[in-house]
Amino acid sequence: MPKDYFNDPIEKETGQSFKASPQALMFERLVSELQATLEEEVFFDDSDWPHGFDWSNEADAVWEGLAEDATLLAKFRTRNPADQVLCRAAGLIYRAICAGSPIELEAVCRQFAEIMKLPVPAHAHFLLEEAQNCLQQMGDRAETDDHKRSGADQGPALEA
């Protein structure tokens, strides 16, 4: 059986333990790996690797793997309403990973906020909150990167 990444924090937060479904376990793993990837991107860049190593290609491969995991879960069929919500959320995570602009990512975050309003058990809501935090972090980084690029494209400042 796969590792249960969040059961201890969920039990502490909600006061409940639960028997995780395959979809919940897959979603836990997806969110855990998303969190780890976001943390690694904060701490690593090209200067942390030997000369000639292309960190961006490595990071792209990790994000592609996460997108593949998200799309697999999004296509998973279940009759359990809470698991259906998690699968739908995985589809939005896929869209967020593949977003080509901060505007697209913001639209995904708005849709995710709508999912957060759906009635789900406490453990599923906890997982959705963790995923929403990751999406918010992705959005913040996308805006920062967009501002850096737009500032770099303006060229040198003209003196009056």
Side-chain angles (χ1 to χ4, degrees), residues 37-71:
T37 301
L38 288 166
E39 286 176 19
E40 286 179 17
E41 281 200 349
V42 168
F43 297 112
F44 296 108
D45 61 24
D46 287 333
S47 64
D48 294 324
W49 296 93
H51 183 67
F53 183 84
D54 187 2
W55 165 249
S56 61
N57 283 341
E58 186 71 22
D60 289 345
V62 170
W63 284 109
E64 286 173 18
L66 284 172
E68 185 177 317
D69 289 348
T71 195

mmCIF file of all heavy atoms in Angstrom, residues 37-71:
data_model
loop_
_atom_site.group_PDB
_atom_site.id
_atom_site.type_symbol
_atom_site.label_atom_id
_atom_site.label_comp_id
_atom_site.label_asym_id
_atom_site.label_seq_id
_atom_site.Cartn_x
_atom_site.Cartn_y
_atom_site.Cartn_z
ATOM 1 N N THR A 37 8.362 19.822 -4.962
ATOM 2 C CA THR A 37 8.896 20.457 -6.174
ATOM 3 C C THR A 37 8.951 21.961 -6.016
ATOM 4 O O THR A 37 9.945 22.598 -6.387
ATOM 5 C CB THR A 37 8.038 20.070 -7.396
ATOM 6 O OG1 THR A 37 8.055 18.649 -7.517
ATOM 7 C CG2 THR A 37 8.573 20.693 -8.666
ATOM 8 N N LEU A 38 7.910 22.545 -5.451
ATOM 9 C CA LEU A 38 7.914 23.991 -5.232
ATOM 10 C C LEU A 38 9.015 24.401 -4.267
ATOM 11 O O LEU A 38 9.684 25.412 -4.470
ATOM 12 C CB LEU A 38 6.541 24.446 -4.716
ATOM 13 C CG LEU A 38 5.427 24.425 -5.757
ATOM 14 C CD1 LEU A 38 4.065 24.561 -5.088
ATOM 15 C CD2 LEU A 38 5.636 25.517 -6.791
ATOM 16 N N GLU A 39 9.240 23.610 -3.223
ATOM 17 C CA GLU A 39 10.316 23.907 -2.271
ATOM 18 C C GLU A 39 11.678 23.804 -2.939
ATOM 19 O O GLU A 39 12.555 24.641 -2.717
ATOM 20 C CB GLU A 39 10.258 22.953 -1.083
ATOM 21 C CG GLU A 39 9.135 23.242 -0.130
ATOM 22 C CD GLU A 39 9.038 22.219 0.994
ATOM 23 O OE1 GLU A 39 10.025 21.509 1.251
ATOM 24 O OE2 GLU A 39 7.964 22.138 1.602
ATOM 25 N N GLU A 40 11.874 22.778 -3.759
ATOM 26 C CA GLU A 40 13.163 22.608 -4.430
ATOM 27 C C GLU A 40 13.434 23.753 -5.382
ATOM 28 O O GLU A 40 14.571 24.204 -5.497
ATOM 29 C CB GLU A 40 13.205 21.278 -5.171
ATOM 30 C CG GLU A 40 13.359 20.102 -4.246
ATOM 31 C CD GLU A 40 13.370 18.772 -4.967
ATOM 32 O OE1 GLU A 40 13.576 18.756 -6.190
ATOM 33 O OE2 GLU A 40 13.167 17.752 -4.303
ATOM 34 N N GLU A 41 12.412 24.247 -6.055
ATOM 35 C CA GLU A 41 12.636 25.359 -6.978
ATOM 36 C C GLU A 41 13.054 26.618 -6.246
ATOM 37 O O GLU A 41 13.739 27.453 -6.798
ATOM 38 C CB GLU A 41 11.389 25.616 -7.823
ATOM 39 C CG GLU A 41 11.264 24.637 -8.959
ATOM 40 C CD GLU A 41 10.367 25.132 -10.064
ATOM 41 O OE1 GLU A 41 9.664 26.132 -9.889
ATOM 42 O OE2 GLU A 41 10.391 24.500 -11.121
ATOM 43 N N VAL A 42 12.637 26.750 -4.996
ATOM 44 C CA VAL A 42 13.040 27.906 -4.212
ATOM 45 C C VAL A 42 14.521 27.822 -3.874
ATOM 46 O O VAL A 42 15.239 28.815 -3.920
ATOM 47 C CB VAL A 42 12.209 27.998 -2.901
ATOM 48 C CG1 VAL A 42 12.800 29.020 -1.947
ATOM 49 C CG2 VAL A 42 10.769 28.329 -3.210
ATOM 50 N N PHE A 43 15.005 26.630 -3.577
ATOM 51 C CA PHE A 43 16.357 26.471 -3.076
ATOM 52 C C PHE A 43 17.409 26.153 -4.137
ATOM 53 O O PHE A 43 18.588 26.208 -3.855
ATOM 54 C CB PHE A 43 16.385 25.392 -1.989
ATOM 55 C CG PHE A 43 15.566 25.765 -0.797
ATOM 56 C CD1 PHE A 43 14.405 25.084 -0.496
ATOM 57 C CD2 PHE A 43 15.938 26.826 0.008
ATOM 58 C CE1 PHE A 43 13.640 25.442 0.601
ATOM 59 C CE2 PHE A 43 15.179 27.200 1.105
ATOM 60 C CZ PHE A 43 14.028 26.498 1.403
ATOM 61 N N PHE A 44 16.988 25.784 -5.333
ATOM 62 C CA PHE A 44 17.955 25.413 -6.358
ATOM 63 C C PHE A 44 17.814 26.301 -7.584
ATOM 64 O O PHE A 44 16.730 26.685 -7.963
ATOM 65 C CB PHE A 44 17.775 23.957 -6.792
ATOM 66 C CG PHE A 44 18.033 22.969 -5.693
ATOM 67 C CD1 PHE A 44 16.994 22.272 -5.116
ATOM 68 C CD2 PHE A 44 19.316 22.745 -5.239
ATOM 69 C CE1 PHE A 44 17.216 21.363 -4.106
ATOM 70 C CE2 PHE A 44 19.552 21.841 -4.221
ATOM 71 C CZ PHE A 44 18.497 21.144 -3.648
ATOM 72 N N ASP A 45 18.936 26.587 -8.188
ATOM 73 C CA ASP A 45 18.960 27.232 -9.487
ATOM 74 C C ASP A 45 20.218 26.740 -10.203
ATOM 75 O O ASP A 45 20.930 25.879 -9.702
ATOM 76 C CB ASP A 45 18.900 28.755 -9.372
ATOM 77 C CG ASP A 45 20.083 29.348 -8.608
ATOM 78 O OD1 ASP A 45 21.152 28.705 -8.553
ATOM 79 O OD2 ASP A 45 19.942 30.449 -8.079
ATOM 80 N N ASP A 46 20.480 27.285 -11.354
ATOM 81 C CA ASP A 46 21.620 26.809 -12.145
ATOM 82 C C ASP A 46 22.948 26.931 -11.405
ATOM 83 O O ASP A 46 23.858 26.140 -11.627
ATOM 84 C CB ASP A 46 21.709 27.574 -13.465
ATOM 85 C CG ASP A 46 20.620 27.165 -14.433
ATOM 86 O OD1 ASP A 46 20.144 26.018 -14.327
ATOM 87 O OD2 ASP A 46 20.241 27.981 -15.285
ATOM 88 N N SER A 47 23.077 27.919 -10.513
ATOM 89 C CA SER A 47 24.349 28.111 -9.817
ATOM 90 C C SER A 47 24.614 27.013 -8.789
ATOM 91 O O SER A 47 25.740 26.854 -8.339
ATOM 92 C CB SER A 47 24.367 29.479 -9.120
ATOM 93 O OG SER A 47 23.380 29.521 -8.110
ATOM 94 N N ASP A 48 23.584 26.232 -8.422
ATOM 95 C CA ASP A 48 23.766 25.163 -7.440
ATOM 96 C C ASP A 48 24.294 23.871 -8.065
ATOM 97 O O ASP A 48 24.582 22.923 -7.346
ATOM 98 C CB ASP A 48 22.434 24.847 -6.744
ATOM 99 C CG ASP A 48 21.955 26.012 -5.898
ATOM 100 O OD1 ASP A 48 22.809 26.694 -5.301
ATOM 101 O OD2 ASP A 48 20.732 26.238 -5.856
ATOM 102 N N TRP A 49 24.390 23.825 -9.374
ATOM 103 C CA TRP A 49 24.774 22.601 -10.067
ATOM 104 C C TRP A 49 26.118 22.779 -10.752
ATOM 105 O O TRP A 49 26.553 23.910 -10.993
ATOM 106 C CB TRP A 49 23.707 22.241 -11.097
ATOM 107 C CG TRP A 49 22.402 21.921 -10.429
ATOM 108 C CD1 TRP A 49 21.376 22.782 -10.178
ATOM 109 C CD2 TRP A 49 22.020 20.665 -9.888
ATOM 110 N NE1 TRP A 49 20.373 22.137 -9.523
ATOM 111 C CE2 TRP A 49 20.733 20.845 -9.332
ATOM 112 C CE3 TRP A 49 22.619 19.418 -9.810
ATOM 113 C CZ2 TRP A 49 20.042 19.805 -8.708
ATOM 114 C CZ3 TRP A 49 21.921 18.390 -9.203
ATOM 115 C CH2 TRP A 49 20.653 18.584 -8.664
ATOM 116 N N PRO A 50 26.783 21.681 -11.064
ATOM 117 C CA PRO A 50 28.078 21.788 -11.749
ATOM 118 C C PRO A 50 27.943 22.565 -13.056
ATOM 119 O O PRO A 50 26.880 22.580 -13.673
ATOM 120 C CB PRO A 50 28.458 20.325 -12.029
ATOM 121 C CG PRO A 50 27.628 19.511 -11.107
ATOM 122 C CD PRO A 50 26.387 20.295 -10.825
ATOM 123 N N HIS A 51 29.035 23.179 -13.456
ATOM 124 C CA HIS A 51 29.048 23.960 -14.694
ATOM 125 C C HIS A 51 28.565 23.091 -15.864
ATOM 126 O O HIS A 51 28.987 21.952 -16.025
ATOM 127 C CB HIS A 51 30.468 24.479 -14.976
ATOM 128 C CG HIS A 51 30.542 25.342 -16.186
ATOM 129 N ND1 HIS A 51 29.941 26.565 -16.250
ATOM 130 C CD2 HIS A 51 31.127 25.115 -17.390
ATOM 131 C CE1 HIS A 51 30.155 27.084 -17.448
ATOM 132 N NE2 HIS A 51 30.872 26.227 -18.157
ATOM 133 N N GLY A 52 27.657 23.627 -16.627
ATOM 134 C CA GLY A 52 27.151 22.903 -17.788
ATOM 135 C C GLY A 52 25.873 22.126 -17.529
ATOM 136 O O GLY A 52 25.223 21.671 -18.461
ATOM 137 N N PHE A 53 25.496 21.971 -16.246
ATOM 138 C CA PHE A 53 24.254 21.251 -15.943
ATOM 139 C C PHE A 53 23.083 22.193 -16.150
ATOM 140 O O PHE A 53 23.072 23.316 -15.676
ATOM 141 C CB PHE A 53 24.268 20.755 -14.494
ATOM 142 C CG PHE A 53 23.051 19.954 -14.124
ATOM 143 C CD1 PHE A 53 22.988 18.609 -14.422
ATOM 144 C CD2 PHE A 53 21.970 20.554 -13.505
ATOM 145 C CE1 PHE A 53 21.869 17.864 -14.090
ATOM 146 C CE2 PHE A 53 20.854 19.823 -13.162
ATOM 147 C CZ PHE A 53 20.799 18.469 -13.462
ATOM 148 N N ASP A 54 22.073 21.745 -16.871
ATOM 149 C CA ASP A 54 20.916 22.581 -17.169
ATOM 150 C C ASP A 54 19.783 22.245 -16.215
ATOM 151 O O ASP A 54 19.026 21.303 -16.430
ATOM 152 C CB ASP A 54 20.483 22.374 -18.627
ATOM 153 C CG ASP A 54 19.396 23.341 -19.043
ATOM 154 O OD1 ASP A 54 18.996 24.203 -18.224
ATOM 155 O OD2 ASP A 54 18.933 23.240 -20.183
ATOM 156 N N TRP A 55 19.676 23.025 -15.133
ATOM 157 C CA TRP A 55 18.639 22.807 -14.123
ATOM 158 C C TRP A 55 17.252 22.933 -14.732
ATOM 159 O O TRP A 55 16.332 22.220 -14.363
ATOM 160 C CB TRP A 55 18.822 23.795 -12.984
ATOM 161 C CG TRP A 55 17.628 23.907 -12.081
ATOM 162 C CD1 TRP A 55 16.798 24.972 -11.967
ATOM 163 C CD2 TRP A 55 17.118 22.914 -11.191
ATOM 164 N NE1 TRP A 55 15.809 24.702 -11.053
ATOM 165 C CE2 TRP A 55 15.980 23.437 -10.566
ATOM 166 C CE3 TRP A 55 17.490 21.616 -10.860
ATOM 167 C CZ2 TRP A 55 15.231 22.748 -9.632
ATOM 168 C CZ3 TRP A 55 16.739 20.913 -9.927
ATOM 169 C CH2 TRP A 55 15.630 21.481 -9.334
ATOM 170 N N SER A 56 17.069 23.832 -15.682
ATOM 171 C CA SER A 56 15.730 24.054 -16.232
ATOM 172 C C SER A 56 15.194 22.805 -16.926
ATOM 173 O O SER A 56 14.006 22.511 -16.834
ATOM 174 C CB SER A 56 15.716 25.249 -17.181
ATOM 175 O OG SER A 56 16.582 25.019 -18.279
ATOM 176 N N ASN A 57 16.054 22.049 -17.598
ATOM 177 C CA ASN A 57 15.600 20.805 -18.227
ATOM 178 C C ASN A 57 15.186 19.786 -17.177
ATOM 179 O O ASN A 57 14.191 19.079 -17.349
ATOM 180 C CB ASN A 57 16.695 20.199 -19.120
ATOM 181 C CG ASN A 57 16.813 20.917 -20.439
ATOM 182 O OD1 ASN A 57 15.901 21.614 -20.865
ATOM 183 N ND2 ASN A 57 17.952 20.763 -21.081
ATOM 184 N N GLU A 58 15.936 19.715 -16.092
ATOM 185 C CA GLU A 58 15.601 18.797 -15.003
ATOM 186 C C GLU A 58 14.273 19.191 -14.369
ATOM 187 O O GLU A 58 13.401 18.355 -14.125
ATOM 188 C CB GLU A 58 16.722 18.796 -13.955
ATOM 189 C CG GLU A 58 16.561 17.782 -12.871
ATOM 190 C CD GLU A 58 16.789 16.355 -13.332
ATOM 191 O OE1 GLU A 58 17.448 16.136 -14.357
ATOM 192 O OE2 GLU A 58 16.295 15.451 -12.643
ATOM 193 N N ALA A 59 14.096 20.479 -14.103
ATOM 194 C CA ALA A 59 12.847 20.965 -13.510
ATOM 195 C C ALA A 59 11.669 20.720 -14.445
ATOM 196 O O ALA A 59 10.590 20.326 -13.998
ATOM 197 C CB ALA A 59 12.972 22.450 -13.179
ATOM 198 N N ASP A 60 11.865 20.933 -15.733
ATOM 199 C CA ASP A 60 10.792 20.681 -16.705
ATOM 200 C C ASP A 60 10.360 19.224 -16.672
ATOM 201 O O ASP A 60 9.160 18.924 -16.749
ATOM 202 C CB ASP A 60 11.238 21.053 -18.122
ATOM 203 C CG ASP A 60 11.357 22.559 -18.326
ATOM 204 O OD1 ASP A 60 10.834 23.320 -17.481
ATOM 205 O OD2 ASP A 60 11.968 22.958 -19.330
ATOM 206 N N ALA A 61 11.308 18.318 -16.540
ATOM 207 C CA ALA A 61 10.978 16.887 -16.491
ATOM 208 C C ALA A 61 10.165 16.558 -15.236
ATOM 209 O O ALA A 61 9.212 15.768 -15.296
ATOM 210 C CB ALA A 61 12.260 16.046 -16.530
ATOM 211 N N VAL A 62 10.506 17.174 -14.121
ATOM 212 C CA VAL A 62 9.763 16.943 -12.883
ATOM 213 C C VAL A 62 8.333 17.459 -13.029
ATOM 214 O O VAL A 62 7.368 16.779 -12.677
ATOM 215 C CB VAL A 62 10.469 17.619 -11.679
ATOM 216 C CG1 VAL A 62 9.598 17.601 -10.440
ATOM 217 C CG2 VAL A 62 11.802 16.936 -11.412
ATOM 218 N N TRP A 63 8.181 18.669 -13.589
ATOM 219 C CA TRP A 63 6.843 19.233 -13.782
ATOM 220 C C TRP A 63 6.021 18.391 -14.764
ATOM 221 O O TRP A 63 4.809 18.220 -14.578
ATOM 222 C CB TRP A 63 6.929 20.685 -14.254
ATOM 223 C CG TRP A 63 7.283 21.619 -13.129
ATOM 224 C CD1 TRP A 63 8.460 22.284 -12.950
ATOM 225 C CD2 TRP A 63 6.448 21.974 -12.019
ATOM 226 N NE1 TRP A 63 8.407 23.022 -11.796
ATOM 227 C CE2 TRP A 63 7.178 22.854 -11.205
ATOM 228 C CE3 TRP A 63 5.158 21.621 -11.635
ATOM 229 C CZ2 TRP A 63 6.669 23.401 -10.031
ATOM 230 C CZ3 TRP A 63 4.639 22.170 -10.463
ATOM 231 C CH2 TRP A 63 5.390 23.047 -9.681
ATOM 232 N N GLU A 64 6.663 17.860 -15.797
ATOM 233 C CA GLU A 64 5.953 16.985 -16.739
ATOM 234 C C GLU A 64 5.457 15.725 -16.038
ATOM 235 O O GLU A 64 4.345 15.255 -16.299
ATOM 236 C CB GLU A 64 6.858 16.615 -17.915
ATOM 237 C CG GLU A 64 7.067 17.743 -18.894
ATOM 238 C CD GLU A 64 8.092 17.416 -19.971
ATOM 239 O OE1 GLU A 64 8.399 16.214 -20.182
ATOM 240 O OE2 GLU A 64 8.597 18.358 -20.599
ATOM 241 N N GLY A 65 6.262 15.170 -15.147
ATOM 242 C CA GLY A 65 5.850 13.998 -14.385
ATOM 243 C C GLY A 65 4.660 14.305 -13.485
ATOM 244 O O GLY A 65 3.723 13.509 -13.378
ATOM 245 N N LEU A 66 4.693 15.472 -12.836
ATOM 246 C CA LEU A 66 3.569 15.879 -11.999
ATOM 247 C C LEU A 66 2.303 16.077 -12.833
ATOM 248 O O LEU A 66 1.209 15.685 -12.419
ATOM 249 C CB LEU A 66 3.897 17.169 -11.249
ATOM 250 C CG LEU A 66 4.827 17.038 -10.060
ATOM 251 C CD1 LEU A 66 5.223 18.408 -9.532
ATOM 252 C CD2 LEU A 66 4.174 16.229 -8.967
ATOM 253 N N ALA A 67 2.457 16.672 -14.001
ATOM 254 C CA ALA A 67 1.302 16.876 -14.881
ATOM 255 C C ALA A 67 0.712 15.536 -15.313
ATOM 256 O O ALA A 67 -0.517 15.372 -15.361
ATOM 257 C CB ALA A 67 1.706 17.704 -16.102
ATOM 258 N N GLU A 68 1.571 14.577 -15.596
ATOM 259 C CA GLU A 68 1.102 13.245 -15.981
ATOM 260 C C GLU A 68 0.345 12.581 -14.829
ATOM 261 O O GLU A 68 -0.730 12.002 -15.037
ATOM 262 C CB GLU A 68 2.286 12.375 -16.400
ATOM 263 C CG GLU A 68 1.893 11.012 -16.918
ATOM 264 C CD GLU A 68 3.088 10.210 -17.382
ATOM 265 O OE1 GLU A 68 3.971 10.775 -18.047
ATOM 266 O OE2 GLU A 68 3.125 9.014 -17.058
ATOM 267 N N ASP A 69 0.888 12.676 -13.616
ATOM 268 C CA ASP A 69 0.199 12.110 -12.452
ATOM 269 C C ASP A 69 -1.163 12.773 -12.250
ATOM 270 O O ASP A 69 -2.155 12.106 -11.957
ATOM 271 C CB ASP A 69 1.038 12.286 -11.180
ATOM 272 C CG ASP A 69 2.272 11.409 -11.150
ATOM 273 O OD1 ASP A 69 2.383 10.492 -11.989
ATOM 274 O OD2 ASP A 69 3.136 11.643 -10.285
ATOM 275 N N ALA A 70 -1.212 14.097 -12.405
ATOM 276 C CA ALA A 70 -2.469 14.830 -12.224
ATOM 277 C C ALA A 70 -3.504 14.429 -13.264
ATOM 278 O O ALA A 70 -4.677 14.232 -12.941
ATOM 279 C CB ALA A 70 -2.210 16.336 -12.278
ATOM 280 N N THR A 71 -3.081 14.280 -14.506
ATOM 281 C CA THR A 71 -4.042 13.921 -15.551
ATOM 282 C C THR A 71 -4.542 12.490 -15.382
ATOM 283 O O THR A 71 -5.708 12.199 -15.644
ATOM 284 C CB THR A 71 -3.466 14.171 -16.961
ATOM 285 O OG1 THR A 71 -4.535 14.142 -17.893
ATOM 286 C CG2 THR A 71 -2.425 13.178 -17.377
#
